[in-house]
Amino acid sequence: MSFFVGLVVGIVVGLALIVVFVRSENARSKLRTDLAATVAAFARMTVEDSRHLLAPEYYPSWVVFSQRQKLNWLNSHLTKIWPYVNEAASELIKSSVEPTLEQYRPIILSSLKFSKFTLGTVAPQFTGVSILESDSSGITMELEMNWDGNPNIVLDVKTRLGVSLPVQVKDIGFTGVFRLIFRPLVEELPCFGAVCYSLRQKKKFDFKLKVIGGDITSIPGLSGALEDTIHNAIEDSITWPVRKIVPILPGDYSDLELKPSGTLEVKLVQAKDLTNKDFIGKSDPYAELYIRPLRDRTKTSKIISNDLNPIWNEHYEFVVEDASTQHLYVKIYDDEGLQASELLGCAQVQLSELEPGKVKDVWLKLVKDLDVQRDTKYRGEVHLELLYCPYGMENSFTNPFAKKVEMTTLERVLKNAAQTEREVSQKKREVIVRGVLSVTVISAEDLPVVDLMGKADPFVVLTMKKSDTKNKTRVVNENLNPEWNQTFDFVVEDALHDMLIAEVYDHDTFRKEYIGRCILTLTRVILEGEYRECFPLDGAKSGRLNLSLKWVPQPIYRDSQ
């Protein structure tokens, strides 16, 4: 009996061991299959797949994703032939850069030329190449270049005081990306008609200035003026979208030249919380705005004396060549009279972020240097209104800043019969947007405590800045969330250049205490006709003001003299 029991138990245990072994082998086989599939999937992964799988901040600093191919072969050959390239390129660069330097020459200088120019013995290194476009019309590629050279560059600088100084440019360090466009493609060697080159991105550009046998600081402002001149000349002469065209085969390549693509309407509204640079009183701020740093394209605002919260409300127009890559730059300075102005802060706007035909209202934080990304100090903000108008789209949206020449039937009848319609349309005319602005002060929210009892007695004063017309609401006693629902009408003679200032005060028996304000241009209400919004109060710890604005236009026209 025991024999049969042992036999049965042995068979059961054996079968159990066989089942466990088979399952174990199957599990191991499945793990090996899954691992092989995973390895194969990783082998097929692209750079984009890696970025989707893991956020960039989780990669170590030495991991770099690049779509550019290495160019060790080119660097090796360039090093061998560099002495010959240096001799040819030095004269070519000198002859092409000198006129540009003269164009950007500071006012304090009477002459700015090269007395020596060689690129030195160190060849630049090309760290990568990528193909951006390749079709039947042409090929576009980008070359990344790094150059820490030892050039021998000496500027012959002559000031208006008759002083002549030899200034050496040394310790040049440059890293950037050049764009090359080979277009059009043709059937004869070298298979393209012309080459366009441009500096697509400037990552680093450092240099030092030294007066040979002297000190450059002996003439105040000279060092800064020369540095700005060199930077501006390079940035505007070869920085994209500006491009240089080198014809290879005979032909007309005017279609490759830089052409305007639209206009940018900019209203410089105001700035707030600017840094005070004066020991006595406050800074005297003014603004410079530009897309390209050309003298005739740089706009300068009026100077607002002794004010860290200036209001300009000035309108400018800029030519745009490439909205996808260009920026609007704003620099705020403190006017120092006869001395050089001191930079308070700067900001930039990417034109690609603007929707064509739509006004964008932006507050930009000011920084010390646009190339330094780690500037966390608060230097104030600047308020802009922006409207990008591409050419060819003028009829698809309303541009309130456009100069119009339409005439009513009555105007045509009253014109002298000898004066043709062509002569009338050629006269420069500016539009004066006249109308009635209705402002409804609805309510305020979360006003700061002003009274000792933990409340406030608020009221609102509305002011049209240009005409200084004022209206005020009733006082709401002991309320931090008052409601007024009062409407006021203003006859506005020139709405595009006027502003509405809404100031909130606390009423006391013998005086009124300022709480905060909001400043509004009339551009939006002119375009939309009517809108309602809750505006934060500037200058207050907290608080918002609910306003409703309505515009009834009565446009008139006048001829400019």
Side-chain angles (χ1 to χ4, degrees):
M1 185 66 181
S2 58
F3 171 76
F4 290 104
V5 172
L7 180 61
V8 172
V9 172
I11 293 173
V12 172
V13 171
L15 290 174
L17 290 175
I18 292 173
V19 170
V20 171
F21 177 77
V22 171
R23 288 188 176 180
S24 175
E25 287 299 311
N26 289 338
R28 292 177 60 186
S29 176
K30 187 176 184 301
L31 287 175
R32 288 195 296 267
T33 303
D34 292 343
L35 180 60
T38 303
V39 172
F42 272 108
R44 292 191 301 268
M45 281 181 59
T46 64
V47 173
E48 291 301 322
D49 294 332
S50 301
R51 291 174 176 171
H52 289 305
L53 184 65
L54 194 62
E57 57 265 23
Y58 294 106
Y59 286 102
S61 58
W62 47 267
V63 176
V64 178
F65 294 111
S66 177
Q67 296 182 349
R68 293 188 171 92
Q69 300 177 12
K70 301 300 181 181
L71 292 172
N72 295 331
W73 61 272
L74 177 60
N75 295 326
S76 176
H77 289 291
L78 182 61
T79 302
K80 295 177 182 179
I81 65 172
W82 179 248
Y84 308 100
V85 174
N86 174 32
E87 184 176 351
S90 295
E91 186 61 32
L92 177 63
I93 295 174
K94 178 182 176 181
S95 60
S96 61
V97 171
E98 263 191 350
T100 306
L101 285 178
E102 185 65 23
Q103 182 181 5
Y104 288 91
R105 174 173 49 83
I107 299 177
I108 61 174
L109 302 182
S110 61
S111 177
L112 181 61
K113 296 182 178 179
F114 290 110
S115 58
K116 292 182 181 180
F117 192 102
T118 60
L119 297 177
T121 59
V122 179
Q125 297 293 301
F126 291 98
T127 56
V129 61
S130 61
I131 305 298
L132 300 182
E133 297 176 5
S134 180
D135 52 34
S136 59
S137 63
I139 299 174
T140 301
M141 69 169 57
E142 288 189 347
L143 287 168
E144 186 171 1
M145 189 185 81
N146 180 33
W147 186 46
D148 293 312
N150 59 346
N152 184 13
I153 302 175
V154 179
L155 289 169
D156 184 15
V157 178
K158 294 182 180 179
T159 68
R160 296 193 179 276
L161 300 177
V163 180
S164 181
L165 298 172
V167 179
Q168 183 180 13
V169 184
K170 55 184 296 186
D171 297 339
I172 294 179
F174 174 82
T175 302
V177 178
F178 283 91
R179 174 171 290 185
L180 301 177
I181 302 175
F182 301 89
R183 187 177 296 175
L185 299 181
V186 296
E187 295 182 352
E188 57 182 301
L189 292 175
C191 299
F192 52 88
V195 179
C196 299
Y197 67 91
S198 177
L199 178 60
R200 176 63 182 86
Q201 182 183 10
K202 182 193 69 175
K203 296 182 177 180
K204 184 187 78 170
F205 181 45
D206 300 323
F207 59 88
K208 293 182 181 179
L209 299 176
K210 180 183 178 181
V211 174
I212 300 176
D215 185 5
I216 196 169
T217 59
S218 59
I219 301 180
L222 178 60
S223 177
L226 284 177
E227 289 181 4
D228 290 343
T229 298
I230 294 173
H231 277 288
N232 290 340
I234 291 177
E235 288 182 7
D236 193 62
S237 60
I238 62 171
T239 302
W240 184 266
V242 179
R243 73 287 305 263
K244 300 294 184 182
I245 302 174
V246 181
I248 304 298
L249 300 175
D252 180 14
Y253 303 111
S254 59
D255 59 319
L256 300 178
E257 296 176 353
L258 181 64
K259 296 181 178 64
S261 62
T263 58
L264 178 67
E265 309 283 351
V266 180
K267 179 173 282 190
L268 174 65
V269 183
Q270 60 177 323
K272 66 178 182 180
D273 304 330
L274 297 180
T275 305
N276 189 13
K277 295 290 186 177
D278 293 349
F279 292 104
I280 300 176
K282 299 178 181 178
S283 297
D284 307 315
Y286 70 93
E288 284 188 356
L289 302 92
Y290 61 87
I291 293 178
R292 294 174 59 188
L294 292 168
R295 290 179 184 175
D296 57 345
R297 291 195 184 186
T298 299
K299 311 297 183 182
T300 304
S301 74
K302 62 185 177 183
I303 299 171
I304 307 295
S305 301
N306 199 38
D307 196 343
L308 300 180
N309 299 281
I311 300 175
W312 289 288
N313 196 36
E314 298 183 13
H315 170 253
Y316 310 104
E317 183 177 294
F318 297 91
V319 175
V320 178
E321 284 92 3
D322 186 0
S324 63
T325 60
Q326 288 186 303
H327 296 70
L328 172 70
Y329 298 93
V330 185
K331 295 185 177 181
I332 310 295
Y333 292 92
D334 176 26
D335 180 63
E336 298 291 348
L338 298 178
Q339 299 181 2
S341 299
E342 189 170 0
L343 181 67
L344 299 179
C346 52
Q348 65 179 357
V349 180
Q350 294 184 15
L351 302 190
S352 59
E353 297 177 352
L354 304 180
E355 182 179 345
K358 186 174 182 180
V359 175
K360 184 171 184 178
D361 189 287
V362 294
W363 279 94
L364 303 175
K365 289 188 177 181
L366 299 174
V367 297
K368 182 178 181 181
D369 191 339
L370 294 173
D371 294 329
V372 178
Q373 303 297 327
R374 298 182 180 179
D375 183 10
T376 58
K377 181 179 178 181
Y378 182 68
R379 305 176 186 276
E381 300 177 58
V382 61
H383 183 194
L384 303 175
E385 281 185 352
L386 307 169
L387 175 63
Y388 173 53
C389 305
Y391 292 148
M393 295 182 60
E394 294 84 351
N395 297 328
S396 60
F397 56 82
T398 302
N399 180 3
F401 303 103
K403 293 179 173 62
K404 301 180 181 180
V405 296
E406 293 86 352
M407 301 179 64
T408 65
T409 303
L410 179 60
E411 285 180 312
R412 291 192 181 96
V413 171
L414 294 178
K415 288 294 178 181
N416 192 326
Q419 190 176 27
T420 66
E421 181 80 14
R422 179 183 180 89
E423 292 171 335
V424 173
S425 64
Q426 287 178 344
K427 294 187 67 176
K428 182 182 177 183
R429 314 180 76 227
E430 60 180 276
V431 63
I432 308 299
V433 181
R434 182 179 185 273
V436 177
L437 176 67
S438 297
V439 183
T440 301
V441 183
I442 302 172
S443 63
E445 303 172 6
D446 194 27
L447 295 180
V449 175
V450 179
D451 296 342
L452 296 177
M453 302 300 293
K455 296 288 185 179
D457 306 316
F459 67 97
V460 180
V461 177
L462 301 175
T463 306
M464 297 306 302
K465 188 174 186 298
K466 199 167 185 180
S467 62
D468 201 32
T469 306
K470 296 186 178 183
N471 279 303
K472 70 176 182 178
T473 67
R474 65 179 183 274
V475 177
V476 178
N477 295 319
E478 298 184 356
N479 199 328
L480 299 180
N481 297 281
E483 294 185 3
W484 290 283
N485 290 311
Q486 291 183 258
T487 301
F488 305 93
D489 292 333
F490 296 90
V491 177
V492 183
E493 296 295 335
D494 189 1
L496 288 179
H497 303 94
D498 213 338
M499 309 177 76
L500 173 67
I501 302 176
E503 298 171 300
V504 182
Y505 291 91
D506 173 54
H507 175 75
D508 287 330
T509 305
F510 300 104
R511 62 185 180 89
K512 61 180 181 180
E513 186 172 352
Y514 176 77
I515 296 178
R517 71 179 182 183
C518 54
I519 301 175
L520 311 176
T521 67
L522 306 188
T523 309
R524 180 180 172 185
V525 72
I526 293 172
L527 289 174
E528 298 182 8
E530 182 176 2
Y531 74 92
R532 173 177 172 173
E533 193 162 319
C534 187
F535 300 94
L537 291 177
D538 290 333
K541 296 180 180 179
S542 63
R544 298 177 298 277
L545 188 62
N546 289 304
L547 299 176
S548 175
L549 283 74
K550 182 178 181 181
W551 176 253
V552 179
Q554 298 175 353
I556 60 174
Y557 302 93
R558 70 182 178 196
D559 292 335
S560 298
Q561 300 297 327

